[in-house]
Coordinates of all heavy atoms in Angstrom, one line a residue:
Chain A
P164 N 23.1 12.8 3.6 CA 23.0 13.2 2.2 C 22.8 12.0 1.3 O 22.0 12.1 0.3 CB 24.3 13.9 1.9 CG 24.8 14.4 3.3 CD 24.3 13.4 4.3
R181 N 16.9 20.6 5.2 CA 16.5 20.8 6.6 C 15.3 20.0 7.0 O 15.4 19.3 8.0 CB 16.3 22.3 6.8 CG 17.5 23.1 6.6 CD 17.2 24.5 6.3 NE 16.7 24.7 4.9 CZ 16.4 25.8 4.3 NH1 16.6 26.9 5.0 NH2 15.9 25.9 3.1
K185 N 15.5 16.8 9.6 CA 14.5 16.9 10.8 C 13.6 15.7 10.9 O 13.6 15.0 12.0 CB 13.6 18.2 10.7 CG 13.8 19.2 11.8 CD 12.8 20.3 11.6 CE 12.9 20.9 10.2 NZ 11.9 21.9 10.0
N203 N 33.1 12.5 -0.5 CA 32.3 13.4 -1.2 C 32.5 14.8 -0.9 O 31.9 15.7 -1.6 CB 30.9 13.0 -1.1 CG 30.5 11.9 -2.0 OD1 30.6 11.9 -3.2 ND2 30.1 10.7 -1.4
S204 N 33.2 15.1 0.2 CA 33.3 16.5 0.6 C 34.5 16.7 1.4 O 35.0 15.8 2.1 CB 32.1 17.0 1.3 OG 32.0 16.4 2.6
R206 N 34.6 18.6 4.0 CA 34.2 18.7 5.4 C 33.9 17.2 6.0 O 34.1 17.0 7.1 CB 32.9 19.5 5.5 CG 32.4 19.7 6.9 CD 31.2 20.6 6.9 NE 30.7 20.7 8.2 CZ 29.6 21.5 8.5 NH1 29.0 22.2 7.5 NH2 29.2 21.5 9.7
G207 N 33.3 16.4 5.1 CA 32.9 15.1 5.5 C 31.5 15.1 6.1 O 31.1 16.1 6.7
A208 N 30.9 14.0 5.9 CA 29.5 13.8 6.5 C 29.5 12.7 7.5 O 30.1 11.6 7.2 CB 28.5 13.6 5.3
F209 N 28.8 12.9 8.6 CA 28.7 11.8 9.6 C 28.0 10.6 9.1 O 27.0 10.7 8.3 CB 28.1 12.3 10.9 CG 29.0 13.1 11.7 CD1 28.8 14.5 11.8 CD2 30.0 12.5 12.4 CE1 29.7 15.2 12.5 CE2 30.8 13.3 13.3 CZ 30.7 14.6 13.3
Chain C
dA3 P 36.0 30.5 -5.6 OP1 37.1 30.9 -6.5 OP2 34.8 31.2 -5.5 O5' 35.6 29.0 -6.1 C5' 36.6 28.0 -6.3 C4' 36.1 26.7 -5.7 O4' 36.4 26.7 -4.2 C3' 34.7 26.4 -5.9 O3' 34.6 25.0 -6.4 C2' 34.1 26.6 -4.5 C1' 35.2 26.2 -3.6 N9 35.2 26.8 -2.3 C8 34.8 28.1 -1.9 N7 35.0 28.3 -0.7 C5 35.5 27.1 -0.1 C6 35.8 26.8 1.2 N6 35.7 27.5 2.2 N1 36.2 25.5 1.4 C2 36.3 24.6 0.3 N3 36.0 24.9 -1.0 C4 35.6 26.1 -1.1
dA4 P 33.2 24.4 -6.9 OP1 33.5 24.3 -8.4 OP2 32.1 25.3 -6.4 O5' 33.1 23.0 -6.2 C5' 33.9 22.6 -5.3 C4' 33.2 21.8 -4.2 O4' 33.3 22.4 -3.0 C3' 31.7 21.6 -4.5 O3' 31.4 20.3 -4.1 C2' 31.1 22.7 -3.6 C1' 32.0 22.6 -2.4 N9 32.1 23.8 -1.6 C8 31.7 25.1 -2.0 N7 31.8 26.0 -1.0 C5 32.3 25.2 0.1 C6 32.6 25.6 1.4 N6 32.6 26.9 1.8 N1 33.1 24.6 2.2 C2 33.3 23.4 1.7 N3 32.9 22.9 0.5 C4 32.5 23.9 -0.3
dA5 P 29.9 19.7 -4.6 OP1 30.2 18.6 -5.5 OP2 29.1 20.8 -5.0 O5' 29.3 19.2 -3.3 C5' 30.0 18.1 -2.6 C4' 29.8 18.3 -1.1 O4' 30.1 19.6 -0.7 C3' 28.4 18.1 -0.6 O3' 28.4 17.1 0.4 C2' 27.9 19.4 0.0 C1' 29.3 20.0 0.4 N9 29.2 21.5 0.5 C8 28.8 22.4 -0.5 N7 28.8 23.6 -0.1 C5 29.3 23.5 1.2 C6 29.6 24.5 2.2 N6 29.3 25.9 2.0 N1 30.0 24.1 3.4 C2 30.2 22.8 3.6 N3 30.0 21.8 2.7 C4 29.5 22.2 1.6
dA6 P 27.2 16.7 1.4 OP1 27.3 15.3 1.7 OP2 26.0 17.2 0.8 O5' 27.6 17.5 2.6 C5' 28.8 17.1 3.4 C4' 28.6 17.6 4.8 O4' 28.6 19.1 4.8 C3' 27.3 17.2 5.5 O3' 27.6 16.9 6.9 C2' 26.4 18.4 5.5 C1' 27.4 19.6 5.4 N9 27.0 20.7 4.5 C8 26.6 20.6 3.2 N7 26.3 21.8 2.6 C5 26.5 22.7 3.7 C6 26.4 24.1 3.7 N6 26.0 24.9 2.7 N1 26.7 24.7 4.9 C2 27.2 23.9 5.9 N3 27.3 22.6 6.0 C4 27.0 22.0 4.8
dG7 P 26.6 16.2 7.9 OP1 27.3 15.4 8.9 OP2 25.6 15.6 7.1 O5' 25.9 17.5 8.6 C5' 26.7 18.3 9.5 C4' 26.0 19.5 9.8 O4' 25.8 20.4 8.7 C3' 24.6 19.3 10.3 O3' 24.5 19.8 11.6 C2' 23.7 20.0 9.4 C1' 24.6 21.0 8.8 N9 24.2 21.5 7.5 C8 24.0 20.8 6.3 N7 23.6 21.5 5.3 C5 23.6 22.8 5.7 C6 23.4 24.0 5.0 O6 23.1 24.1 3.9 N1 23.5 25.1 5.9 C2 23.9 25.0 7.2 N2 24.0 26.2 7.8 N3 24.2 23.9 7.9 C4 24.0 22.8 7.0
dT8 P 23.3 19.3 12.6 OP1 24.1 18.6 13.8 OP2 22.3 18.6 11.8 O5' 22.7 20.6 13.2 C5' 23.5 21.9 13.3 C4' 22.5 23.0 13.0 O4' 22.4 23.2 11.5 C3' 21.1 22.8 13.5 O3' 20.7 24.0 14.2 C2' 20.3 22.7 12.2 C1' 21.1 23.6 11.3 N1 20.9 23.4 9.8 C2 20.7 24.5 9.0 O2 20.8 25.7 9.5 N3 20.6 24.3 7.7 C4 20.5 23.0 7.1 O4 20.3 22.9 5.9 C5 20.7 21.9 7.9 C7 20.7 20.5 7.4 C6 20.9 22.1 9.3
dG9 P 19.7 24.0 15.5 OP1 20.6 23.7 16.6 OP2 18.6 23.0 15.1 O5' 19.1 25.4 15.6 C5' 19.2 26.2 14.3 C4' 18.1 27.2 14.5 O4' 17.4 27.3 13.1 C3' 17.0 27.1 15.5 O3' 16.6 28.4 15.9 C2' 15.9 26.4 14.7 C1' 16.1 26.9 13.3 N9 15.8 25.9 12.2 C8 16.0 24.5 12.2 N7 15.6 24.0 11.0 C5 15.1 25.0 10.3 C6 14.6 25.0 9.0 O6 14.4 24.0 8.3 N1 14.2 26.3 8.6 C2 14.4 27.4 9.3 N2 14.0 28.5 8.7 N3 14.9 27.5 10.6 C4 15.3 26.2 11.0
dT10 P 15.2 28.6 16.7 OP1 15.3 29.7 17.6 OP2 14.6 27.3 17.2 O5' 14.3 29.1 15.5 C5' 14.7 30.3 14.8 C4' 13.5 30.8 13.9 O4' 13.3 29.9 12.8 C3' 12.2 30.9 14.7 O3' 11.6 32.1 14.3 C2' 11.4 29.7 14.2 C1' 11.9 29.6 12.8 N1 11.8 28.2 12.1 C2 11.3 28.2 10.9 O2 11.0 29.1 10.2 N3 11.2 26.9 10.4 C4 11.6 25.7 11.0 O4 11.5 24.6 10.4 C5 12.1 25.9 12.4 C7 12.6 24.7 13.1 C6 12.3 27.1 12.8
dT11 P 10.2 32.5 14.9 OP1 10.3 33.9 15.5 OP2 9.7 31.4 15.7 O5' 9.3 32.6 13.6 C5' 9.8 33.3 12.4 C4' 8.9 33.0 11.3 O4' 9.0 31.6 10.9 C3' 7.4 33.2 11.6 O3' 6.8 33.9 10.5 C2' 6.9 31.8 11.8 C1' 7.7 31.0 10.8 N1 7.8 29.5 11.0 C2 7.7 28.7 9.9 O2 7.4 29.1 8.8 N3 7.8 27.4 10.2 C4 8.0 26.8 11.4 O4 8.2 25.6 11.5 C5 8.2 27.7 12.5 C7 8.4 27.2 13.9 C6 8.1 29.1 12.3

Side-chain angles (χ1 to χ4, degrees):
Chain A
R181 292 158 288 187
K185 240 183 308 172
N203 279 301
S204 68
R206 181 178 178 178
F209 282 104

